[in-house]
Amino acid sequence: MSFKLSDVLVAVLISLLALCAAPASAQTVRFFNGQTGLSDASRNIFAQDSDGFFYIGNKTGLYVSSGGEFTRIDRPDGTPFKDTAAIAGGANGSILIAADRELWLKTKTGLEKLSFQFDGRIALAADGMDFIILSGEGPARNGGIWRLYRHQRGELVFASLVKDHADSQVPSTNPLESEVLSAMASEAKSVWVGCGEALCRYRDGGVDTFDERRGVPHEIWRALAISPDGTLTARSVGKLVIIAANGGVHVEDIPYELPEYFRERPSEIFISRMTDGSLLMPGDGALVVRSSAGHWEDMDWPSGYSPQAISSAFIDREYGLWLDSPGRGPVRIAGFPFWQVFPHGNDAFPVRVSGVRHDAAGNFWIAAANGLFEYAASSSSHDGDHLLKHIELENISSLLRTGDGALWTAEKGKGLIRIDPVTGQVRTLPSSEPVTGALILDSGGRIWVGTVSGLIRIDDPLRYASHLPTVFALQNRRINALCFDQFGRLLVLTDSVLFQQTAEENVFDPRVDLESFDIGNGSAITVGMSNDVWVLGSKGSVRKIFLPEDGSPVVSTLDNGPKDSDFTTIFRDSRGWIWLGGSHGLDVSTPNGWSHFDLTSGLISSRILSGSINEDDDGSLWFGTESGLNHLREPGSLPILPDLHTVFLSARLDNIDLLGKERFWPDGDRKLSFQFVAPTFTGNREIKYQYQLLGIDQEVVYSSKNFINYNNIKGEKIIFTVQARDILNYRSASSATLSVRSSGLKISGFKGILWWAFLSFLSVALLGAILYRRIKLSRQKNFEAAVRGRTRVMEEMQTQLLHQSRVDSLTGLFNRRSALDELDELVASISPNELIAVALIDIDHFKMINDTLGHQGGDYVLKQYGQCLRKFAGSTAICGRYGGEELIIVFMSVSSTEKLLDQVTKLHEHLRNPMVYGASEVVATCSIGLAVIIPGDTASTLIGRADRALYRGKKRGRNCIVVAD
């Protein structure tokens, strides 16, 4: 069964609703091999558009998903896209499709067949708003390489990246034209191509060749990948080359054999670059990983998935890894390479982990409810490959390491246990009062121990003792948790009271009575960077408490934090991040806000056990779940999920498609229906929507459904706005607005026809009278003036035409060509001791501004930016519109980089000032890439350096200034 494009969006909605209704939990490894067409023996290829829709193509057809099951997309005539050879996702929700020797462009308005045919191999890549197409093996082998872009008038244009030398008798020196082209990648306005046995970079109309003279060995480069900073990684059958953005070259041998699948199909070799800088590529039996530090190892497959071969890979916008195994179909792996599962195949493994430590020899110790586990130090990235020792103990909690290297743990209900890792000696220190598991080491090396009847302190843990000291403070109080505040004072949490240590360290003041907060008994505690105390109660709720030196404590709930109230553990790591674990996964508070992790993010289970979050000496984190132990090696490298995009699936007024070109509807009551979605593969069950139909909904409506129907709709105009909200993952989404007006006249019956006929006649008569009057007056008054002013008019027209050819009509700044011409002249004419600089300015989230305020609002922001640049950039600066929402400033006569940076910083402040559009106050921030000319710079390289600095600024979070190296 097949679907036309008009049916696909509805099918995507149905699949998403089916997913939301399914009771089964999501998986870290998600299989799609049960779907018709995807488990075919042919190779699956992947792509994703800017809205988040994910596409899979193979010999049977092209399939799309918004986060649920996949649905086949067909041509307008209902036939499938068979033999899909390449797909590439672009901006504005577009995707380019190469199938059955034809090229198609899918946009939000439909499918369009392009006047382009290919025979043989084809490669596609997105490049900003454009696409790059490599057909065959390039111009040298009857193929070609083109840029596909949309002209200002709207038509699509194919522009060759090489000039036509068909009539020339002189052989071309351009390697893109003279060499066999083997692979292609595009990023940040640069196109890299494997050309012959070298690598070529096309940028701004010029070609740089990296061959043996520049350190690149003679190889046929089969796969390319570009990092956000402009670094290229390329591989041949046996070598890897890395070319930095500044031109530095690094070469190394790949220490793995190529799998048989790729030895037979070398053109299908791939490289996937993960967000942590690691590289994924074919090797040995399936896949190998090269870390950002240069270490190679086999792919560590998640439980339940171990393919014999991988034919293609793709990283989606939510950092999921898509893999295709021939005959088995595609899978999506969440959390790779950040989250790892421990242990690896051992018969005995820790249960309910409460402590993790390395000893002096580097061996790895885990305290769990079923004992102590010692694992051998590992040279690989995985601890726990070899279990050395399992000390069978019951109900132990916490794990400390004292200055002599000894490890200490608490055996709940009994006492403490001391382990000497060198000798293997295990010594028990019984307690007269049962210990609760609360255990902490202070800066003086003393151990504080909580019991069911008060607090114990071991003043000298290095000194032999046969038993624990007696309780010395807070007698008859059950000690559930211990923590030090930012001033080194001990906080003690009992069932109902939070105590704070006074200047007399054996005296504790009761500061907070927990019974009034309705959180149950106090169970866990930690302290934030601002010395705010976080208390977790037995009912699963968390409270933040500020303890002033004078005055009463201030208690609050979590601001903009998790809404759930079923947390089981709380922990503060050495970075100051606060982690909350519970039955829905992990929530973490960082300087950038809250983030959420669960099964769809890579955890082995979404149920985090009580007291099971620990930090190792190397800063990595361990999380105990009901299904095992997760290890997060580099918490700081965890990527932040991108914002969502709200997209209309359908909008219909009775039988009229409001998303299409038909915009006429007759009088009468009508049924209006909308369907919308925010594509995501992470937490899509928690997506909520807020929407409003102007004139009908008196206020914004909140719903978990992604469809709405209205009855008895009247009127000529419909304005509907909807925005998705990912509450679980703390993500916002761009809004989608549909504003349509009936394009036809509304008439009703014979009276309506007569009325409109009368108005039409009256209008024509009135217009005729006005025209006759104006013509008569014009002849009388302007005959002599027309003759006298003919020369003046012609001069003004010439001046206006010259102005229009150089100035952008919207911003009033130089257009791109004029600004670049001025820069070319400056670079060519400056003396060696003079400095000039270029600043590229990109308005942050400009698409969201357009989506929220409409294109008129976006134009208004650009106009305000133009006025601000003319006013504050300086009298000697050349300001222009570089393209879209990007502006350029050329600074002449720069005295010093410091003064220039100060000037640009002040300009940045002006650009961020609020502006008023209609009834709304708009704050449009921007990112600036700044480059000062260095010896050897051309106008092109100077702009390129500024562009790369701008790109780094956008990756850092935008709203900043980055100076080029």
Side-chain angles (χ1 to χ4, degrees), residues 608-772:
I608 309 300
L609 301 177
S610 175
S612 62
I613 304 179
N614 295 271
E615 184 172 17
D616 203 350
D617 300 320
D618 60 1
S620 63
L621 292 170
W622 297 83
F623 304 89
T625 77
E626 67 175 10
S627 300
L629 187 61
N630 266 119
H631 188 196
L632 181 58
R633 296 190 64 87
E634 298 181 6
S637 67
L638 276 173
I640 299 174
L641 286 175
D643 286 342
L644 299 173
H645 296 283
T646 312
V647 184
F648 282 107
L649 295 177
S650 67
R652 303 193 70 85
L653 187 67
D654 289 339
N655 295 323
I656 300 170
D657 181 7
L658 299 179
L659 300 179
K661 296 181 180 180
E662 185 182 2
R663 294 291 174 81
F664 167 72
W665 53 80
D667 277 335
D669 295 341
R670 296 174 298 274
K671 180 180 179 181
L672 178 64
S673 62
F674 297 101
Q675 297 171 338
F676 33 83
V677 71
T680 176
F681 286 87
T682 302
N684 48 18
R685 292 182 179 85
E686 302 297 329
I687 301 297
K688 310 296 181 185
Y689 296 91
Q690 56 187 48
Y691 57 82
Q692 185 174 24
L693 178 62
L694 194 65
I696 300 296
D697 296 323
Q698 299 303 314
E699 57 185 18
V700 174
V701 180
Y702 298 89
S703 174
S704 59
K705 298 178 180 179
N706 56 348
F707 61 90
I708 182 65
N709 297 316
Y710 294 92
N711 295 314
N712 304 323
I713 298 299
K714 305 177 186 292
E716 298 180 0
K717 191 171 184 180
I718 295 172
I719 301 177
F720 181 80
T721 300
V722 59
Q723 184 178 23
R725 299 182 303 146
D726 185 356
I727 300 174
L728 185 64
N729 291 293
Y730 313 100
R731 286 191 290 176
S732 60
S734 62
S735 60
T737 300
L738 181 67
S739 178
V740 293
R741 182 188 294 273
S742 177
S743 58
L745 294 175
K746 291 175 38 176
I747 58 178
S748 179
F750 183 70
K751 290 183 179 180
I753 296 175
L754 290 178
W755 173 250
W756 284 111
F758 172 75
L759 288 179
S760 299
F761 173 77
L762 186 63
S763 299
V764 171
L766 182 61
L767 180 62
I770 293 173
L771 288 175
Y772 175 79

Side-chain angles (χ1 to χ4, degrees), residues 524-543:
I525 185 174
T526 193
V527 176
M529 293 291 289
S530 57
N531 210 36
D532 46 331
V533 182
W534 298 52
V535 175
L536 172 63
S538 58
K539 292 185 178 181
S541 298
V542 176
R543 295 292 185 270

Side-chain angles (χ1 to χ4, degrees), residues 828-850:
S829 61
I830 63 170
S831 61
N833 59 347
E834 290 181 307
L835 290 178
I836 62 173
V838 166
L840 287 181
I841 303 171
D842 187 87
I843 302 176
D844 298 332
H845 305 294
F846 190 75
K847 182 180 183 301
M848 186 177 296
I849 295 175
N850 274 333

Side-chain angles (χ1 to χ4, degrees), residues 109-132:
T109 58
L111 278 162
E112 181 178 358
K113 182 179 178 181
L114 307 182
S115 57
F116 183 97
Q117 287 192 330
F118 63 94
D119 188 7
R121 186 170 64 92
I122 188 170
L124 308 175
D127 187 36
M129 302 292 292
D130 308 336
F131 289 97
I132 307 297

Side-chain angles (χ1 to χ4, degrees), residues 189 203-205 805-807 813-828 836-840 878-883 886-890 938-944 946-947:
K189 302 177 183 178
R203 185 169 58 187
D204 296 330
S805 68
R806 291 177 55 81
V807 175
L813 308 175
F814 278 117
N815 58 31
R816 177 190 177 104
R817 184 69 267 158
S818 298
L820 294 181
D821 288 343
E822 295 289 338
L823 179 60
D824 284 333
E825 292 182 10
L826 279 174
V827 172
I836 62 173
V838 166
L840 287 181
I878 299 170
C879 303
R881 185 179 181 186
Y882 195 64
E886 204 168 2
L887 309 171
I888 185 173
I889 307 176
V890 180
T938 63
S940 176
T941 59
L942 181 59
I943 289 179
D947 190 52

Side-chain angles (χ1 to χ4, degrees), residues 136-345:
E137 295 179 323
R141 296 290 180 89
N142 299 318
I145 183 166
W146 296 270
R147 180 183 298 276
L148 173 64
Y149 68 95
R150 193 173 293 278
H151 194 272
Q152 290 182 349
R153 294 191 297 270
E155 67 268 20
L156 291 166
V157 178
F158 289 91
S160 176
L161 297 191
V162 296
K163 296 181 180 179
D164 186 5
H165 294 284
D167 299 330
S168 175
Q169 302 299 316
V170 180
S172 172
T173 59
N174 186 344
L176 294 183
E177 186 174 5
S178 60
E179 300 290 344
V180 174
L181 308 185
S182 57
M184 177 188 68
S186 176
E187 179 81 18
K189 302 177 183 178
S190 293
V191 181
W192 283 91
V193 182
C195 46
E197 295 183 331
L199 289 163
C200 299
R201 178 175 60 192
Y202 175 89
R203 185 169 58 187
D204 296 330
V207 179
D208 294 330
T209 302
F210 290 79
D211 52 19
E212 199 168 39
R213 292 170 296 180
R214 301 182 69 172
V216 175
H218 283 298
E219 297 276 336
I220 298 177
W221 301 101
R222 296 295 188 178
L224 312 179
I226 308 175
S227 64
D229 65 356
T231 298
L232 173 77
T233 303
R235 75 157 290 175
S236 62
V237 171
K239 290 189 180 294
L240 188 79
V241 63
I242 300 174
I243 303 177
N246 61 5
V249 176
H250 167 78
V251 181
E252 61 185 82
D253 293 324
I254 298 175
Y256 291 89
E257 293 293 328
L258 198 63
E260 181 180 356
Y261 178 92
F262 292 99
R263 290 198 297 269
E264 298 173 355
R265 307 169 182 83
S267 63
E268 295 182 8
I269 296 174
F270 62 84
I271 296 178
S272 291
R273 184 187 181 278
M274 311 303 295
T275 54
D276 68 340
S278 58
L279 301 171
L280 194 68
M281 64 189 75
D284 278 356
L287 292 181
V288 294
V289 181
R290 181 190 183 275
S291 71
S292 57
H295 303 302
W296 293 84
E297 61 185 11
D298 292 314
M299 174 75 172
D300 182 32
W301 296 110
S303 176
Y305 184 68
S306 182
Q308 298 300 314
I310 295 296
S311 59
S312 59
F314 185 88
I315 312 299
D316 65 31
R317 66 191 300 266
E318 294 175 317
Y319 317 109
L321 171 62
W322 291 80
L323 300 174
D324 179 63
S325 180
R328 295 186 61 180
V331 300
R332 182 182 188 271
I333 301 176
F336 177 82
F338 310 102
W339 296 98
Q340 297 175 352
V341 179
F342 178 95
H344 304 280

